[in-house]
Amino acid sequence: MSTTRSALRRRMLTLLLAGVAAIVTALGFSTPAFAITHSSATSQLSAAGIGWVSSGNCSNRNNPTCTSFEGIRQATISGIITFKRASGCAITITGGTETGHAGGTYSHWNGYKVDIAKTTCVYNWITSAYTYVGYISGWGYQWRAPSGNLYTDEGNHWDILYYTCGC
């Protein structure tokens, strides 16, 4: 009888936790989608072993030769960290939220995208782990991760759109 009660308690606790998770998700708290500071982003990237470069050697968001993370979404930072861990590749970010990228809701400026340097490891991971979408005129060749995130080969770099923090 106690085994039955114990199993029932576990099921009830699981249902309760699932209900709380559903409510938290509905309220928008389950995935970190809020914008963070450049300093917070660089701290997390450094801790994860992810580097970044700037052709202008700067981080001013209003200068297109800088690489800035000011206003980037936490989900985007978590996404690139997840990608690095899953792929095992060295990652170098070449573009963040600085001006000079295309606009739109899911843009660099709004914190949804990062650009990363092309490497053989990154190419091999994306093209073998994700689903090929096709050639997007004016953009490049695109792959979709199971999470829905998009990886576009734009010729000299990868443009990554993070809808979620999964890779």
Side-chain angles (χ1 to χ4, degrees):
M1 189 71 135
S2 69
T3 305
T4 305
R5 281 188 184 167
S6 178
L8 182 59
R9 284 185 183 146
R10 279 195 308 264
R11 287 184 189 150
M12 289 181 68
L13 181 59
T14 301
L15 286 172
L16 176 65
L17 291 174
V20 169
I23 291 168
V24 168
T25 299
L27 294 175
F29 298 124
S30 67
T31 57
F34 54 88
I36 61 173
T37 65
H38 179 82
S39 176
S40 177
T42 58
S43 176
Q44 292 176 63
L45 293 169
S46 291
I50 296 174
W52 59 94
V53 296
S54 163
S55 61
N57 246 355
C58 51
S59 62
N60 180 341
R61 187 173 195 205
N62 296 304
N63 182 338
T65 65
C66 297
T67 297
S68 176
F69 303 116
E70 192 63 40
I72 200 162
R73 295 168 63 247
Q74 178 61 54
T76 303
I77 294 299
S78 298
I80 195 65
I81 291 170
T82 300
F83 177 78
K84 181 193 186 313
R85 290 180 180 153
S87 68
C89 299
I91 304 296
T92 302
I93 297 175
T94 61
T97 60
E98 65 279 349
T99 191
H101 299 280
T105 301
Y106 299 106
S107 64
H108 282 272
W109 183 263
N110 289 336
Y112 284 88
K113 288 183 161 193
V114 291
D115 291 339
I116 64 171
K118 288 179 78 174
T119 66
T120 301
C121 182
V122 168
Y123 177 83
N124 288 342
W125 176 263
I126 291 171
T127 59
S128 65
Y130 302 148
T131 303
Y132 180 64
V133 175
Y135 180 76
I136 310 303
S137 184
W139 294 99
Y141 298 94
Q142 194 170 79
W143 285 260
R144 183 182 313 277
S147 61
N149 298 328
L150 295 171
Y151 295 75
T152 306
D153 180 349
E154 293 191 343
N156 62 353
H157 67 274
W158 286 96
D159 177 272
I160 307 172
L161 169 56
Y162 285 107
Y163 293 111
T164 70
C165 56
C167 64

